[in-house]
Amino acid sequence: MNKIEHIGIAVKDLKASNSLFEKLLGVPHYKIEEVVSEGVRTSFFQAGPNKIELLEALDQQGPIAKFLDKKGEGVHHIAFAVDDIVSEMARLTAEGFTVLNKEPKKGADNKLVAFLHPKTTNGVLVELCQEIPESL
Ligand code: ZN
C-alpha cells in the first residue's frame, strides 16, 4: 500500500459540515459527488497533502445511514492508495483479511475501490483505492 489517500468522515448534514470543514481546514471543498450505488453524497477537501471525504447518506437503507444510526457522526474509514487494486485484494485475502467486494467498484473521485471488513482490521473500515487511468 502507498500513502493514506483520504480519510472518510460520516456526517448528518453535508451542507452544514461543508461550512464547518471549510472553516476548520481553511479551504473550500473542491467537489461534491453522488455515488448512487452506495447511497452516499460526498464532498472532498484538499488541505495541503491531505484529503478529507465527507459522506452524507442519500439512501436511508445505505451503509452511511446505518453507520450514523449505530455510531453517530465521525471517522468512517481510512483509504489507502494502491497501484494495483486487484493484486492488493488478492494479497490481503491471502493474509486472512475479509475483502468486502469480489471485484473493485467505481467509487467517488475517479477511483476504483474495495473495502476490508472492520472485524478483520481492529475495527477500522479500510478502503483501498486506485486511480482510474485516463485511458479507461
Ligand atoms: Zn473513501
Side-chain angles (χ1 to χ4, degrees), residues 13-31:
D13 178 343
L14 193 63
K15 216 171 160 205
S17 296
N18 276 339
S19 310
L20 181 76
F21 275 79
E22 187 169 331
K23 276 186 220 154
L24 177 71
L25 301 171
V27 290
H29 63 277
Y30 66 87
K31 78 152 87 171

Side-chain angles (χ1 to χ4, degrees), residues 6 8 53 55 77 79 115 127:
H6 63 270
E53 174 184 32
L55 306 123
H77 64 269
F115 289 91
E127 176 183 352

Side-chain angles (χ1 to χ4, degrees), residues 27-124:
V27 290
H29 63 277
Y30 66 87
K31 78 152 87 171
I32 290 185
E33 188 176 344
E34 292 184 1
V35 184
V36 175
S37 60
E38 294 297 299
V40 65
R41 182 182 292 122
T42 63
S43 72
F44 287 91
F45 290 82
Q46 187 76 46
N50 304 303
K51 197 163 113 186
I52 301 290
E53 174 184 32
L54 302 182
L55 306 123
E56 173 189 59
L58 269 183
D59 167 1
Q60 291 317 308
Q61 308 305 320
I64 297 301
K66 285 184 185 151
F67 180 90
L68 287 169
D69 273 354
K70 250 168 92 175
K71 302 198 170 166
E73 295 180 298
V75 174
H76 177 259
H77 64 269
I78 298 180
F80 291 91
V82 300
D83 294 325
D84 179 344
I85 195 166
V86 173
S87 73
E88 201 63 6
M89 287 164 74
R91 182 183 74 81
L92 293 165
T93 301
E95 293 283 5
F97 295 98
T98 302
V99 179
L100 289 169
N101 317 95
K102 290 244 183 305
E103 314 238 309
K105 55 188 178 178
K106 175 99 168 60
D109 211 22
N110 195 43
K111 299 284 191 295
L112 289 173
V113 304
F115 289 91
L116 303 184
H117 198 294
K119 273 187 190 153
T120 60
T121 51
N122 286 165
V124 179

